[in-house]
């Protein structure tokens, strides 16, 4: 496993400290509050994202060794995420250069989503190869994209996983705990408001074509009102 060196444009805990003011309609709507979380009847709702526990686990070499055996390069201090969004605060898309061949790309991501973005592609990860081939993974709530501040309650109604789908791996920012059932591990109860203390990221495994030379990874936000960020990439050579 080879952690990729990449640039960042924000700290992960900035996400709900921003004011997302544009673009917005110039008329009366039930739009999301300016902090990027909440709803029209809960305009002051927010969530405190705190990744200090995760940063404390980063070694002197700048690498976070997870319990699932995947190392990620992430800084102890300063900016540690590349955010994209259709809000003007961040670019719609961003590119991270890649090189060589690999069989897997392990991604550490974090960001926001809402009820309105359920079941659709909130964003996309595109792996670009030197020969012009493009491989796309859609970030769909709740299968491959989840809210940074809460654990989803899965049932057969509102959040029904696709046939054969498995819950994505989450990583707790407070402790570094990695689990597909983070809510159970942290003792989160109830159906609504399953907030995760400090927030959590998302670990995705993208299978690559090892016969092709890699060129870049592109991250793009596709849905309004969300922020999608990339914290780390690790290639399995």
């Amino acid at each position: 496993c080879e952690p990729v060196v990449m640039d960042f444009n924000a700290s992960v805990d900035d996400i709900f400290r921003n004011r997302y003011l544009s673009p917005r309609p110039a008329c009366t709507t039930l739009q999301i509050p300016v902090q990027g979380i909440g709803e029209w009847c809960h305009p002051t709702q927010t969530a405190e994202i705190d990744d200090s526990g995760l940063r404390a686990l980063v070694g002197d070499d700048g690498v976070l060794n997870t319990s699932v055996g995947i190392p990620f390069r992430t800084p102890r201090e300063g900016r540690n995420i590349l955010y994209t969004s259709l809000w003007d605060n961040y670019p719609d898309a961003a590119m991270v250069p890649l090189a060589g061949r690999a069989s897997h790309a392990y991604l550490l991501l974090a960001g926001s989503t809402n009820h309105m973005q359920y079941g659709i592609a909130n964003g996309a990860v595109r792996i670009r190869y030197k020969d012009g081939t493009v491989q796309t993974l859609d970030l769909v709530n709740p299968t491959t994209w989840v809210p940074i501040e809460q654990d989803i309650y899965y049932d057969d109604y509102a959040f029904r996983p696709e046939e054969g789908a498995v819950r994505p791996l989450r990583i707790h920012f407070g402790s570094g705990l990695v689990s597909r059932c983070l809510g159970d591990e942290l003792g989160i109860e109830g159906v609504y408001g399953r907030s995760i203390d400090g927030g959590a990221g998302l670990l995705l495994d993208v299978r690559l074509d090892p016969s092709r030379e890699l060129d870049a990874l592109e991250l793009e936000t596709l849905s309004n009102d969300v922020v999608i960020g990339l914290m780390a990439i690790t290639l399995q050579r």
Side-chain angles (χ1 to χ4, degrees):
C1 284
E2 180 183 311
V4 173
V5 176
M6 57 177 288
D7 294 326
F8 307 106
N9 62 4
S11 294
V12 68
D13 53 10
D14 289 339
I15 188 167
F16 301 130
R17 297 175 183 173
N18 289 328
R19 290 176 60 83
Y20 300 98
L21 301 178
S22 64
R24 286 183 177 266
C27 59
T28 302
T29 69
L30 302 182
Q31 55 190 300
I32 197 166
V34 296
Q35 67 271 21
I37 187 176
E39 52 194 284
W40 67 277
C41 54
H42 296 97
T44 61
Q45 179 181 339
T46 190
E48 186 65 29
I49 306 302
D50 182 359
D51 64 344
S52 58
L54 194 71
R55 289 180 186 265
L57 297 175
V58 177
D60 293 338
D61 57 356
V63 172
L64 170 70
N65 289 296
T66 66
S67 61
V68 290
I70 303 169
F72 290 107
R73 183 175 298 280
T74 182
R76 282 180 173 173
E77 299 179 347
R79 294 177 173 181
N80 64 347
I81 196 165
L82 180 59
Y83 273 140
T84 66
S85 180
L86 297 185
W87 296 115
D88 290 338
N89 301 60
Y90 300 112
D92 296 357
M95 200 85 71
V96 178
L98 300 177
R101 293 180 170 88
S103 58
H104 292 259
Y106 301 110
L107 311 180
L108 175 55
L109 303 113
S112 60
T113 186
N114 306 284
H115 312 306
M116 305 82 74
Q117 285 84 29
Y118 167 76
I120 63 174
N122 288 209
V125 171
R126 300 187 185 94
I127 304 295
R128 299 187 178 276
Y129 296 92
K130 292 286 189 183
D131 62 4
T133 304
V134 179
Q135 179 181 334
T136 301
L137 171 66
D138 288 332
L139 302 177
V140 178
N141 171 2
T143 308
T144 52
W145 189 244
V146 288
I148 188 174
E149 82 284 358
Q150 63 179 294
D151 180 61
I152 289 178
Y153 178 80
Y154 288 84
D155 57 20
D156 289 332
Y157 301 100
F159 292 99
R160 183 175 185 175
E162 298 177 4
E163 188 71 26
V166 296
R167 297 185 186 189
L169 283 169
R170 305 291 305 272
I171 181 166
H172 184 218
F173 289 150
S175 63
L177 174 68
V178 178
S179 175
R180 294 191 187 277
C181 300
L182 195 59
D184 294 341
E185 299 273 4
L186 297 176
I188 299 174
E189 299 179 349
V191 176
Y192 181 76
R194 296 171 58 83
S195 61
I196 298 173
D197 185 25
L202 172 69
L203 273 64
L204 293 181
D205 175 5
V206 182
R207 290 181 176 271
L208 305 178
D209 185 344
S211 69
R212 302 177 188 274
E213 287 276 347
L214 292 164
D215 183 44
L217 179 147
E218 181 185 14
L219 179 70
E220 182 179 12
T221 295
L222 302 176
S223 292
N224 293 324
D225 300 337
V226 305
V227 178
I228 293 179
L230 177 64
M231 299 182 71
I233 308 169
T234 294
L235 299 175
Q236 183 173 315
R237 298 296 191 183

